[in-house]
């Protein structure tokens, strides 16, 4: 589960960097911007899947033993 959450956090950082890149090059090559937007969509989907998988993994873990 930790690896899934780490992946989600790393994906968030990548999304932030790509958004910044898109803002800095807003008036540049439209094909490059379209590719950046495609990458943003893909990473957003991957992040959502990682979070969902982490939620499922957490739900499947056995309960903590009582002390």
């Amino acid at each position: 589960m930790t690896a899934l959450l780490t992946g989600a956090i790393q994906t968030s950082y990548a999304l932030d960097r790509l958004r910044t890149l898109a803002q800095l090059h807003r008036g540049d090559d439209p094909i490059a911007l379209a590719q950046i937007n495609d990458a943003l969509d893909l990473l957003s989907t991957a992040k959502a899947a990682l979070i969902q998988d982490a939620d499922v993994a957490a739900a499947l873990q056995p309960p903590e033993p009582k002390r």
Side-chain angles (χ1 to χ4, degrees), residues 21-46:
L21 182 66
Q23 289 173 353
L24 291 174
H25 299 285
R26 200 168 284 232
D28 291 346
D29 183 8
I31 294 173
L33 288 176
Q35 291 172 338
I36 291 170
N37 286 328
D38 288 345
L40 285 168
D41 290 343
L42 180 64
L43 283 172
S44 295
T45 302

